[in-house]
Amino acid sequence: MKTKRAVIVQCRLSSSRLPGKALKQLGGKTVLAWVLNSMKKVKADKYYVATDYESYETLKPICKENGFDCFAGDLDDVLKRFCDLIKTLKVDTIIRATADNPFLFYEAAQASVEEFETRKKSRHPCDYLTYTGLPHGSGVEIFGAQALLTAAEQTDNPYDHEHVGPALYNHKENFKCEFVPAPSRFNFPDLRTTIDTYSDYLRAISIVNYLENSKKPYTTEQILSACKSDFVNNPIVFVPSVVKGQGTGHLHRCLSAAVETKGFVYIPDDCSLAETAGIIDEYKEKGLESYQIINQIPDQTYPAVIITDNFKLSQQQAKNFSKCKKLISIDEGSDYSEYCDYLLDIIPSYDIDRLPNLFDTSYIVKPLNVRKNRSLNIEKVLVCIGGEDPAGLTLPAAQALAKNLPGAQITAIVSDVEKYRNILNINFIAPVENLREKIFEYDLVVSHYGLTAFEAAFAGCAVIMVATTKLHERLAQKYEFAYIPHGKIDTAKMQKALSSPNLLPDVKLSLQQKSLGSYIQKLALGKKMCCPVCQKSETQGNAKPDVVISRNSTRTYRRCQNCGIVYMSYSAEEDKQYKKSYFFEEYKNQYGKTYTEDFDSIKNQCKRRLGVMRSLESEEGGKNYLDIGCAYGPSLTAAMEMGLNPFGADIAEDAIHYVKSELHFPAACCAFPDIDSEKEFGISQFDSISMWYVIEHFKNLDSVLSKISTMIKKGGIFAFATPSGEGISAKSDVDHFYTISPTDHFSIWEPSRAQKILKKYGFEVVKVVSTGHHPERFPACQKENIQKGSVKWNMIDKYSRIMQLGDTVEIYCRKKADK
Ligand SMILES: [Zn+2]
């Protein structure tokens, strides 16, 4: 006889962590509707929502709309609620789901109920079955209706009654319960799709945004593709300043970028910027969705890429945000910018204490409406010193203008028009929507240092900056604007500004228009990295972030405060693939010849290095030599010519194929440290190991150095060559050095700090050889145009060698002890 099935979705509205989550909106319908749509795909005879008495009336219409019946029962004794419902149904099998899982794998649910029923007909039936290994929030439970009724009678344990499954699976002596590993198609235990917290809800929104709305429930493959996507995994949260007195520019910029990126915008409940709601509504007309405005920053369960446009971060904000996925800050002016993974400066600033990763005024949104004729015939004037104008400069500025320009029509923007009702000659108006495109109508714009002043300049208006601080006075001077110095505004000062030769500013800024949203999107996908040796992020356990050594447009470098190594802490560059092209096209681009064309000269270098290694080895030193990152085998060939037994390892398949088939050396293709040398070569410990220009490529140096330490005999020599962070290039122009440092060099070694790092792994540095001497890179040589081969040239060359100022370095160390 065919068994009868019932789907029962458990739902209540009184969740403590996220109240009313089943009714939250997700892509135009409730979370509950998503669950019901998915469960409707599972074949069953009855479909029920089991809720409590209080939630019943609210849920009933949603249930009905989605083909479910609604049953009300006990709020806290969920087991009783289920049993009361089951007693009214004539079914054999129950498929239980909960209302907080909008992305249920209904295909897995179907498969598991079939498995349950197949077992039931077999000689090994069970009372309860569930798949394990599904994403958190994708699973259902299957059990026998009668088994649950029996179980409920047998237990008075409060925990059993607050839940459903435990009445069965916590009593395995009475019930046969199966936890079956899910088929590989469904098996992704590290993913999370449930909605238990606010952060989970934001993830769900991202998933729906990624997949785009669909009437039908998403398939397993669709949900998986969303969960693994960059979009879902790098949620962008804009944090604009919405503080009274800091202007509306930050909010405008963030909302505009949020429309482009579909990112979230954090507006705290206690925001003090009066215009906030109105400006948000303005952007809703441009495509901003209500759900993009959030009032909590997602927590560690759904870490976000935080984009601050905040004027000045507080230390607490900087600390908290730096624990998120990434912290990218726009026009950041606080003393805590060291916490930021990336600094983007858009408005020219005078900040001398720090360099940004990128300064680019192309991201200022330029007005489309531009004056055709730029003239100094001033008839229409706009005074716009921020709606709130905390320093009260609007009125004196407008009055000073009226005195100086008696015929002109003067308009001033204020937040409270009523207050200025009785002042003659000046037209006071409320903040203007989309001012940027209206600003061209004015011959002269009087504003403080900020976006409006630049927009007015781009629109071709005459501009006077009212300096609100001494710093802004210097900024106005630097960018050649007419300005009124910091302090009180009077008629004479205004007259002086009006006669300034800079009244019509010649904006020496990029006229290009770039999209901030798409640049933020690119930065959001960048990688944040921790110290490759210590393997913990700069903020973990440390009060302060690691010091920034250099920033450039795609990367940030820091010095680890624990071990001292310089490492790449953020990169917006794509990962490099070490394929054939790496040794050919890319190598040729950098060095002018391919790796194999350069083979003999590299081989001779290797011979010299191997000679140094031999000289440092003990008398009875053995001959087994391993070259990690052996490429096409120059060092292996050198070693063979020197009478050693060479072994090679490299990640590039093509190179290993060449080494084995053409050079006939034993070699393994592996992503070091993922190698079992005993299995590959029959050797567990080597007499010497080298890495020539390889060590800087590892993101996890700890695992690499630990592994090498175990692979080398006590007393054996481990040597590596790498670019030097203490060579003349790094010393003379640190930012240039890091800007041209290859994007796949994750650590930069400084010889003076190597000993401390290597000691951790049982090594003692026994020799440092400074190489790569380039007199032409010395500032003196560049200044005086010193010719190669001249006496001065030779002197600099000698100096470079004595002072170890080569741009590359070889570090030789001896294995002293086990790690
Ligand atoms: Zn470290």
Side-chain angles (χ1 to χ4, degrees), residues 531 534 560 563:
C531 168
C534 302
C560 173
C563 71

Side-chain angles (χ1 to χ4, degrees), residues 342-355:
Y342 194 94
L343 293 171
L344 172 61
D345 283 1
I346 297 175
I347 297 183
S349 93
Y350 216 82
D351 206 318
I352 34 175
D353 294 335
R354 61 144 180 87
L355 280 176

Side-chain angles (χ1 to χ4, degrees), residues 530-536 546 559-565 567 757 760:
C530 57
C531 168
V533 178
C534 302
Q535 286 296 302
K536 59 181 181 183
D546 285 344
R559 182 187 305 287
C560 173
Q561 55 195 298
N562 299 323
C563 71
I565 204 163
Y567 66 97
I757 298 160
K760 259 180 79 174

Side-chain angles (χ1 to χ4, degrees), residues 73 215 702:
K215 284 259 179 300
D702 180 55

Side-chain angles (χ1 to χ4, degrees), residues 71 80 142 150 165 268 296 361 392 417 517 559 564 586 606 649 673 718 721 772 789:
F71 176 85
K80 181 174 183 309
I142 318 291
T150 310
Q296 282 175 48
T361 54
V417 181
R559 182 187 305 287
E586 286 180 49
C606 292
F718 164 53

Side-chain angles (χ1 to χ4, degrees), residues 326-540:
K326 275 153 248 172
L327 172 57
I328 296 165
S329 295
I330 302 171
D331 288 334
E332 172 52 36
S334 75
D335 294 335
Y336 308 111
S337 62
E338 287 274 299
Y339 284 94
C340 305
D341 295 305
Y342 194 94
L343 293 171
L344 172 61
D345 283 1
I346 297 175
I347 297 183
S349 93
Y350 216 82
D351 206 318
I352 34 175
D353 294 335
R354 61 144 180 87
L355 280 176
N357 290 80
L358 182 67
F359 167 50
D360 192 342
T361 54
S362 314
Y363 297 107
I364 296 178
V365 182
K366 279 93 187 166
L368 298 171
N369 294 331
V370 173
R371 294 168 72 81
K372 295 205 175 66
N373 301 308
R374 302 179 74 207
S375 90
L376 282 171
N377 181 21
I378 294 166
E379 286 171 359
K380 282 184 78 181
V381 183
L382 179 71
V383 181
C384 175
I385 310 180
E388 289 146 354
D389 183 19
L393 298 172
T394 305
L395 184 60
Q399 285 174 330
L401 282 161
K403 289 232 170 87
N404 277 292
L405 302 165
Q409 180 195 329
I410 297 163
T411 305
I413 295 179
V414 288
S415 54
D416 183 5
V417 181
E418 281 301 305
K419 207 170 126 188
Y420 299 91
R421 195 208 265 282
N422 297 320
I423 294 164
L424 300 173
N425 303 331
I426 298 156
N427 177 27
F428 288 95
I429 60 167
V432 178
E433 218 179 84
N434 202 10
L435 178 65
R436 183 172 55 232
E437 295 306 338
K438 291 169 186 155
I439 212 155
F440 79 109
E441 295 166 6
Y442 298 93
D443 304 308
L444 168 68
V445 174
V446 178
S447 185
H448 56 70
Y449 185 91
L451 266 182
T452 305
F454 283 99
E455 287 168 358
F458 281 119
C461 311
V463 179
I464 292 177
M465 280 191 185
V466 173
T468 46
T469 63
K470 277 272 169 202
L471 168 73
H472 288 104
E473 210 174 295
R474 293 209 299 277
L475 284 165
Q477 284 166 354
K478 183 177 176 186
Y479 293 99
E480 297 180 12
F481 279 89
Y483 69 95
I484 294 175
H486 177 53
K488 276 204 166 120
I489 299 176
D490 58 32
T491 317
K493 283 183 187 168
M494 184 59 81
Q495 191 186 13
K496 204 176 164 204
L498 283 164
S499 57
S500 161
N502 294 330
L503 193 57
L504 267 182
D506 181 17
V507 197
K508 292 183 188 68
L509 301 175
S510 169
L511 289 172
Q512 233 190 319
Q513 183 66 68
K514 292 185 190 162
S515 142
L516 179 61
S518 54
Y519 193 62
I520 291 291
Q521 248 162 344
K522 190 186 150 204
L523 293 179
L525 298 185
K527 294 174 289 284
K528 179 173 181 167
M529 290 161 278
C530 57
C531 168
V533 178
C534 302
Q535 286 296 302
K536 59 181 181 183
S537 88
E538 72 268 22
T539 45
Q540 278 173 12

